[in-house]
Amino acid sequence: MKIATFNINGIKARAEALPNWLDSAQPDVVLLQEIKSVDEAFPRDLFEERGYNVETHGQKGFNGVAILSKLPLEDVSRGLPGDESDEQARWIEATVVGKQALRVCGLYLPNGNPVELAEDGSPVPGGKYDYKLRWMERLRTRAAELLAAEEPALMAGDYNIIPQAEDAKRPEAWREDALFRPESRAAFRRILNLGFTEAFRARVQGPGHYSFWDYQAGAWNRNDGIRIDHFLLTPQAADLMRDCGIDKEVRGRHKPSDHVPVWVELDI
DNA sequence: ATGACCTGGCGTCCAGGA
């Protein structure tokens, strides 16, 4: 089973590029981020006519996540638990029903910029960086529950986290950025250290592997990228992993998103 | 050498992104 994550930066703007990629890559399951659409406006037909079941968790203008699956989806849940007042659409999960069940969670982790810190170095409450770190605390809680179930499960999406210096072409440029600051990376490691496998780094070592290139300043042409889209696998899912990769060439196609798809192949 | 983008929205500029 091939499962992909893809931050599409607006479903309307990707109404051609996304189906084209689906037709060439043939993923069984796709976790989408930044659909930037309400549920009613999501063009389900584009995907249903290709044999996908569609589940969305949309929001007007910003954010928004969705799941496409050629296999049936059950027990769909929308919104990251832990804060009833959080109205941002950044989390959706469902069980993919095949020979063996697979729980998939799609996430769009807050960017966190601008970083606002108090004099003691703590994030200013109510600020965007504070929201990011608090969201990651809630993510850790949900992650621990997934591990406790001891079943094949994964959390994939746009984490807005550059895990290590080798995951950026110019790490020094990101030193003070919410994507690379020590608190952000530590929060990511705390989740990993619960017992997840970061799929890409289990397969590929070394620098030069990115999943995002800014539209500005010719970042793509200079390969000035960062790796911020990740797959975290429970041990039961990691044991099933056959391969993992990044569809880099998608960034060079017509009217691309600024992110490219990342995928895993599971023996399930 | 320098500068440089894209998306959605009660829109023709703004907010948000990374």
Side-chain angles (χ1 to χ4, degrees), chain A residues 61 134 175 189 212 229:
Chain A
R134 288 175 179 277
R175 203 165 53 89
R189 282 198 308 276
F212 169 91
D229 299 88

Side-chain angles (χ1 to χ4, degrees), chain A residues 52-118:
Chain A
Y52 289 100
N53 298 293
V54 179
E55 296 288 348
T56 60
H57 180 38
Q59 178 181 346
K60 193 163 82 172
F62 310 104
N63 305 326
V65 289
I67 305 178
L68 314 177
S69 175
K70 292 204 168 179
L71 291 158
L73 293 172
E74 286 184 352
D75 299 325
V76 181
S77 179
R78 295 167 173 82
L80 181 63
D83 183 356
E84 293 301 313
S85 69
D86 184 1
E87 305 204 333
Q88 299 196 32
R90 297 178 174 276
W91 178 269
I92 186 169
E93 56 177 277
T95 299
V96 180
V97 184
K99 277 174 283 186
Q100 191 179 359
L102 174 69
R103 190 71 176 167
V104 297
C105 306
L107 66 98
Y108 175 44
L109 207 148
N111 172 301
N113 285 306
V115 173
E116 296 176 280
L117 300 176

Side-chain angles (χ1 to χ4, degrees), chain A residues 13-157:
Chain A
R14 231 55 64 202
E16 287 184 35
L18 176 56
N20 286 344
W21 169 74
L22 289 172
D23 292 343
S24 61
Q26 290 290 316
D28 300 293
V29 179
V30 187
L31 305 166
L32 297 175
Q33 302 89 41
E34 282 207 90
I35 63 173
K36 295 187 176 180
S37 163
V38 292
D39 296 334
E40 307 78 60
F42 192 82
R44 313 173 59 88
D45 298 356
L46 279 178
F47 311 107
E48 288 174 346
E49 69 192 16
R50 287 173 167 79
Y52 289 100
N53 298 293
V54 179
E55 296 288 348
T56 60
H57 180 38
Q59 178 181 346
K60 193 163 82 172
F62 310 104
N63 305 326
V65 289
I67 305 178
L68 314 177
S69 175
K70 292 204 168 179
L71 291 158
L73 293 172
E74 286 184 352
D75 299 325
V76 181
S77 179
R78 295 167 173 82
L80 181 63
D83 183 356
E84 293 301 313
S85 69
D86 184 1
E87 305 204 333
Q88 299 196 32
R90 297 178 174 276
W91 178 269
I92 186 169
E93 56 177 277
T95 299
V96 180
V97 184
K99 277 174 283 186
Q100 191 179 359
L102 174 69
R103 190 71 176 167
V104 297
C105 306
L107 66 98
Y108 175 44
L109 207 148
N111 172 301
N113 285 306
V115 173
E116 296 176 280
L117 300 176
E119 280 189 25
D120 66 355
S122 65
V124 174
K128 293 194 171 182
Y129 196 47
D130 181 60
Y131 176 64
K132 176 178 195 153
L133 296 175
R134 288 175 179 277
W135 202 93
M136 294 185 80
E137 280 295 308
R138 290 160 58 199
L139 176 59
R140 188 161 64 102
T141 300
R142 182 71 192 108
E145 293 171 358
L146 286 172
L147 284 172
E150 299 188 349
E151 289 167 357
L154 58 84
M155 307 190 299

Side-chain angles (χ1 to χ4, degrees), chain A residues 128-251:
Chain A
K128 293 194 171 182
Y129 196 47
D130 181 60
Y131 176 64
K132 176 178 195 153
L133 296 175
R134 288 175 179 277
W135 202 93
M136 294 185 80
E137 280 295 308
R138 290 160 58 199
L139 176 59
R140 188 161 64 102
T141 300
R142 182 71 192 108
E145 293 171 358
L146 286 172
L147 284 172
E150 299 188 349
E151 289 167 357
L154 58 84
M155 307 190 299
D158 178 357
Y159 278 76
N160 271 316
I161 294 285
I162 303 167
Q164 304 210 75
E166 65 181 0
D167 298 309
K169 174 73 171 290
R170 298 181 300 121
E172 73 285 354
W174 298 93
R175 203 165 53 89
E176 299 295 331
D177 194 281
L179 277 62
F180 191 59
R181 283 188 59 88
E183 307 87 37
S184 302
R185 294 160 57 199
F188 183 69
R189 282 198 308 276
R190 273 199 295 275
I191 295 168
L192 273 181
N193 289 345
L194 293 171
F196 286 90
T197 294
E198 203 244 277
F200 188 77
R201 281 309 182 198
R203 290 284 303 181
V204 183
Q205 289 77 51
H209 302 283
Y210 312 126
S211 65
F212 169 91
W213 295 260
D214 202 299
Y215 289 121
Q216 299 186 66
W220 167 246
N221 290 327
R222 298 184 303 166
N223 195 27
D224 182 5
I226 51 178
R227 196 175 68 88
I228 56 176
D229 299 88
H230 311 299
F231 267 90
L232 269 56
L233 311 178
T234 65
Q236 293 77 16
D239 285 346
L240 301 172
M241 182 167 63
R242 282 204 281 242
D243 202 1
C244 176
I246 301 176
D247 280 355
K248 178 179 181 177
E249 44 87 23
V250 170
R251 186 63 176 79

